[in-house]
């Protein structure tokens, strides 16, 4: 069945360091991969997404890479700041499955000042 | 532009009762999806509605059902509540004629079953 594995479940870094979160998906037909950030007590919000026809996408301090062959995608945050502390979720979906997103289990990122 | 609105924000129900949750999507969005969020299981897909029809369904028992109205507002119903149904229920709306568009989440309804 459809499944997304996310690692690590918790990640602690010093302010200014980089953070990397990795996800692996099982459905080879998946072609859309969003990343959501959820701060404590708040709703998940999209921070970046990538489609299967692109290998890498960058937005300021955030980048996502996709390896379709390995069915693997990663979130990279550089120059981390305390306000980056949150739970990050990766997700995967198919073009023909509308709004259905399969989420990873989440990574709790803590950035220490 | 108003965001996705869920009501109520909090609910406490007794085991065996039923509950209805409501989600108003962003204006113009025709797809509404529902997710259950628990500490142990993360975000799990319940179902998606598009133009008043259920388009996708997750692996939840038939006690979980939903519907969508002509104005795209959606409701989710859980019957015969169990303690394990305690969770944050999130809905998300998107333009959604096909996949691959940003999903905007509501703030969720926190359901506690006692």
């Amino acid at each position: 069945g459809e499944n997304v594995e996310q690692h690590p479940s918790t990640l602690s870094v010093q302010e200014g360091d980089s953070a990397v979160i990795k996800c692996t998906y099982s459905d080879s037909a998946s072609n859309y991969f969003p990343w959501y950030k959820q701060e404590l007590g708040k709703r998940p919000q999209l921070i970046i997404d990538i489609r299967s026809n692109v290998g890498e996408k960058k937005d300021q301090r955030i980048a996502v890479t996709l390896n379709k062959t390995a069915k693997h995608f990663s979130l990279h945050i550089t120059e981390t700041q305390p306000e980056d502390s949150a739970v990050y979720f990766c997700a995967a979906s198919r073009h023909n499955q509308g709004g259905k997103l399969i989420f990873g289990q989440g990574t709790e990122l803590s950035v220490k000042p | 532009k108003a965001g996705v609105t869920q009501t109520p924000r909090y609910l406490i129900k007794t085991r065996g009762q039923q509950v209805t949750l409501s989600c108003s999507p962003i204006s113009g969005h025709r797809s509404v999806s529902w997710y259950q969020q628990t500490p142990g299981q993360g975000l799990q897909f319940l179902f998606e509605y598009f133009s008043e029809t259920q388009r996708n369904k997750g692996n939840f028992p038939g006690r979980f059902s939903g519907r969508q109205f002509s104005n795209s507002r959606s409701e989710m119903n859980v019957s015969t509540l169990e303690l394990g149904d305690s969770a944050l229920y999130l809905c998300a709306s998107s333009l959604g004629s096909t996949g691959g568009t940003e999903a905007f989440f509501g703030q969720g309804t926190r359901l506690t079953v006692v």
Side-chain angles (χ1 to χ4, degrees), chain A residues 50-76:
Chain A
I50 192 167
R51 300 175 200 283
S52 59
N53 58 347
V54 175
E56 183 173 359
K57 184 177 179 180
K58 192 172 181 181
D59 183 3
Q60 300 182 343
R61 297 185 297 109
I62 294 172
V64 58
T65 58
L66 172 65
N67 181 330
K68 286 189 295 182
T69 303
K71 292 191 284 187
H72 174 93
F73 59 114
S74 300
L75 177 72
H76 305 252

Side-chain angles (χ1 to χ4, degrees), chain B:
Chain B
K1 199 175 195 180
V4 180
T5 304
Q6 290 188 245
T7 56
R9 293 292 310 277
Y10 302 93
L11 269 176
I12 300 176
K13 289 287 186 179
T14 303
R15 195 170 43 180
Q17 287 186 312
Q18 75 165 13
V19 68
T20 299
L21 314 181
S22 179
C23 174
S24 293
I26 291 171
S27 178
H29 285 192
R30 295 162 63 192
S31 167
V32 175
S33 296
W34 289 89
Y35 296 86
Q36 182 193 66
Q37 186 173 25
T38 57
Q41 298 295 321
L43 281 148
Q44 292 193 288
F45 174 77
L46 281 153
F47 30 66
E48 182 213 8
Y49 285 85
F50 179 79
S51 293
E52 302 179 64
T53 301
Q54 187 179 86
R55 184 160 66 171
N56 287 291
K57 188 176 188 305
N59 298 321
F60 278 79
R63 300 186 297 107
F64 293 81
S65 63
R67 58 177 175 169
Q68 187 179 33
F69 302 95
S70 59
N71 62 357
S72 293
R73 188 178 72 85
S74 178
E75 288 183 346
M76 188 189 99
N77 185 77
V78 188
S79 62
T80 321
L81 284 165
E82 301 177 359
L83 296 179
D85 296 333
S86 295
L88 180 67
Y89 289 89
L90 292 160
C91 74
S93 77
S94 63
L95 287 169
S97 55
T98 59
T101 59
E102 180 177 357
F104 294 83
F105 282 85
Q107 69 273 58
T109 294
R110 173 76 61 185
L111 172 64
T112 302
V113 182
V114 297

